[in-house]
Amino acid sequence: DNETQHQVTLSQGYWLADTTCTQQLWQAVMSENPSNFEGENNPVERVSFDDIQKFLKRINKQQPDLDLRLPTEAEWENACRAGTEAPFYFGGKDELNLDQVNYSGEWDNYNADGKTQPVKSYPSNPWGLHEMHGNVLEWCQDWYGEYPAELVVDPDGPESGVNRVLRGGSWINDGRDCRSANRGWSLPSDRIDNFG
């Protein structure tokens, strides 16, 4: 009931990296690797929203023309869907499988026996973005709040809140939680081994 599809207009272009941040990049910028599932091409995990803000501040200081930031929730979902309207960019529940997505392997049950996989281990969506479903939950810029049902232009979420938005599902999540529309949330200080 908090995932009502609605028309969104994004009036400004945006760029999104084709993968989540790797441990190799995080290590190069932050001189440390907090990840549980080590591998230089694996996504960095066990990073909080607050940690990511420090990472972005540091990399933007080194490369100010980039002006990097996390995507808004609307930008993230737009990029994940890549012009599609189904639960996953590749189709519905019947098309979901472990060759497409790193998740628990079940529609409605988590599995703590998994782990992250190197980025680009799974097919990209039509826009060339990898692992938008599964692998690690991805932080977004927005505070978590009510999702509008009406037409909105350039939404950036509530002005304040308690929790920040996480999208995309992860290696431990069930298939339902990996859908394009699924909305997660957590405290900005939380560091969990499926947050990236």
Side-chain angles (χ1 to χ4, degrees):
D1 60 354
N2 69 350
E3 300 171 3
T4 305
Q5 281 194 10
H6 57 282
Q7 189 68 35
V8 175
T9 300
L10 299 174
S11 67
Q12 302 292 316
Y14 64 96
W15 290 97
L16 206 62
D18 62 346
T19 71
T20 56
C21 180
T22 63
Q23 293 176 32
Q24 182 177 28
L25 177 57
W26 188 274
Q27 176 81 34
V29 174
M30 301 301 285
S31 301
E32 52 98 19
N33 183 2
S35 301
N36 182 42
F37 304 112
E38 291 186 16
E40 63 182 30
N41 289 318
N42 282 27
V44 68
E45 25 88 9
R46 290 182 21 179
V47 290
S48 69
F49 177 90
D50 295 338
D51 295 333
I52 292 169
Q53 298 311 301
K54 292 173 189 170
F55 170 86
L56 292 170
K57 184 176 181 180
R58 190 171 292 181
I59 203 168
N60 281 329
K61 187 175 181 182
Q62 295 170 2
Q63 301 291 328
D65 291 341
L66 291 177
D67 195 24
L68 297 178
R69 63 173 173 81
L70 287 171
T72 66
E73 185 174 14
E75 290 167 338
W76 187 96
E77 186 170 337
N78 175 256
C80 179
R81 289 185 179 281
T84 67
E85 294 183 14
F88 305 94
Y89 75 81
F90 49 80
K93 176 182 176 182
D94 293 339
E95 288 76 35
L96 176 65
N97 61 66
L98 291 169
D99 292 330
Q100 294 278 1
V101 176
N102 182 18
Y103 73 113
S104 73
E106 297 186 37
W107 180 250
D108 57 2
N109 207 357
Y110 77 94
N111 181 355
D113 294 333
K115 63 179 183 173
T116 61
Q117 297 298 319
V119 299
K120 297 188 178 181
S121 291
Y122 298 86
S124 68
N125 74 9
W127 291 359
L129 304 173
H130 291 266
E131 290 91 37
M132 295 296 287
H133 303 290
N135 221 16
V136 290
L137 281 156
E138 299 178 17
W139 288 103
C140 293
Q141 192 63 40
D142 308 42
W143 290 105
Y144 185 83
E146 292 296 318
Y147 213 41
E150 68 282 349
L151 169 76
V152 289
V153 177
D154 298 326
D156 56 7
E159 289 184 26
S160 63
V162 175
N163 294 301
R164 292 287 186 170
V165 172
L166 288 154
R167 298 295 293 258
S170 75
W171 60 270
I172 196 173
N173 289 117
D174 56 41
R176 182 176 49 215
D177 288 347
C178 295
R179 293 171 296 113
S180 301
N182 188 67
R183 304 178 71 221
W185 64 92
S186 198
L187 295 171
S189 59
D190 286 348
R191 293 183 182 101
I192 301 176
D193 61 7
N194 65 329
F195 289 7

